[in-house]
Amino acid sequence: MNRIYFAFLIVLLLLAFNMGCANPSRKYPADNITPTNNTESEETRNKTDTDSDVDHDSKANDEEKNKARSLIKENEAKIERNKKQILSQKEALLETENSRTRLSSQISNCNANLERAQQQLINAPKEKKRVYRAGIGWTYESDQAAISSANQLVKQYQDQLYSLKNEMQNLDRTYALIQTEISQLDAENSRLQTENTQLRRKFNLSE
């Protein structure tokens, strides 16, 4: 009996084995697993990274443009302030030049007066005055009052000329300082305008 049962089991195993060989196309659960497309996933990640880089670059470029616009605006405001200051300095320069012209005329007149006073001082001792001296009688002497007056007049014009020349030196220094400041403001405006032009070209900004 055991032999018959054992033989029956062998037959069943052989049949099962034959059926498996006869259906080689049969798929097991593991065969149904679809392999992952690594190339497609990598391309997707690369595209995402690229898009992220582009967005980052675009944002950075916008920030630089905004900074450039702000700087241009600040420069333009500074240029306008400089222009007003230049106009004011030019008015001061004209006033200083007029003062120098008037002072030059005063110096010229003072020089002429001083020359006349010096000539009077030279001539004063030559002017004789008749005076009476005890024990001598009448005699002619230099007019001491005229000499003293001529001396005082010479000193007066000398002091006046010294003061006028000092004033002219101060005006000359003021004139030179104003000219220097105007030149510096003009140079700064030129630099700012050049900087604005370069920024507009670099970031393609309109005027």
Side-chain angles (χ1 to χ4, degrees):
M1 181 66 180
N2 288 335
R3 289 180 180 179
I4 295 173
Y5 181 73
F6 182 72
F8 179 72
L9 288 177
I10 291 174
V11 170
L12 288 176
L13 289 173
L14 290 173
L15 288 173
F17 178 76
N18 290 332
M19 289 179 63
C21 292
N23 296 297
S25 61
R26 182 180 178 183
K27 295 181 180 179
Y28 293 91
D31 296 333
N32 292 328
I33 298 175
T34 303
T36 303
N37 192 335
N38 293 329
T39 302
E40 182 179 352
S41 298
E42 185 177 353
E43 290 178 353
T44 302
R45 286 196 301 271
N46 289 339
K47 185 178 185 304
T48 302
D49 292 341
T50 301
D51 291 342
S52 177
D53 291 341
V54 170
D55 292 340
H56 181 270
D57 292 343
S58 178
K59 184 178 180 181
N61 189 46
D62 289 341
E63 290 178 354
E64 290 182 356
K65 277 190 175 182
N66 289 333
K67 288 180 181 179
R69 290 190 183 96
S70 296
L71 182 56
I72 289 173
K73 189 175 180 180
E74 290 176 6
N75 288 347
E76 287 177 343
K78 179 64 174 176
I79 289 171
E80 289 303 316
R81 289 195 298 271
N82 286 348
K83 284 181 178 179
K84 291 180 180 179
Q85 194 171 354
I86 289 172
L87 182 61
S88 176
Q89 293 290 23
K90 284 184 176 180
E91 291 175 355
L93 193 68
L94 180 60
E95 290 177 3
T96 304
E97 179 60 30
N98 291 337
S99 296
R100 290 172 69 194
T101 300
R102 289 192 298 269
L103 191 59
S104 179
S105 177
Q106 292 175 8
I107 289 174
S108 178
N109 291 334
C110 186
N111 270 321
N113 292 333
L114 178 60
E115 288 177 2
R116 285 193 292 270
Q118 289 172 336
Q119 188 62 43
Q120 288 178 9
L121 181 59
I122 292 172
N123 295 333
K126 299 176 182 179
E127 297 179 5
K128 302 296 182 179
K129 183 179 181 181
R130 188 169 180 265
V131 294
Y132 179 81
R133 299 294 182 188
I136 298 176
W138 293 97
T139 184
Y140 288 91
E141 298 178 356
S142 297
D143 190 349
Q144 297 299 319
I147 295 174
S148 177
S149 177
N151 268 321
Q152 291 178 357
L153 200 59
V154 168
K155 186 177 185 306
Q156 174 186 335
Y157 287 128
Q158 285 176 336
D159 291 344
Q160 183 179 355
L161 184 61
Y162 178 81
S163 177
L164 290 173
K165 286 183 176 181
N166 280 341
E167 188 175 351
M168 178 63 81
Q169 288 178 351
N170 291 334
L171 286 175
D172 288 342
R173 284 192 290 268
T174 300
Y175 191 87
L177 287 173
I178 295 173
Q179 282 186 319
T180 299
E181 187 168 354
I182 290 174
S183 297
Q184 290 174 345
L185 291 170
D186 280 332
E188 184 178 18
N189 276 1
S190 178
R191 178 184 63 79
L192 293 173
Q193 288 168 350
T194 299
E195 184 178 2
N196 284 355
T197 299
Q198 292 174 345
L199 287 172
R200 288 190 175 98
R201 287 177 180 173
K202 181 177 180 180
F203 295 101
N204 195 26
L205 300 174
S206 58
E207 293 287 339

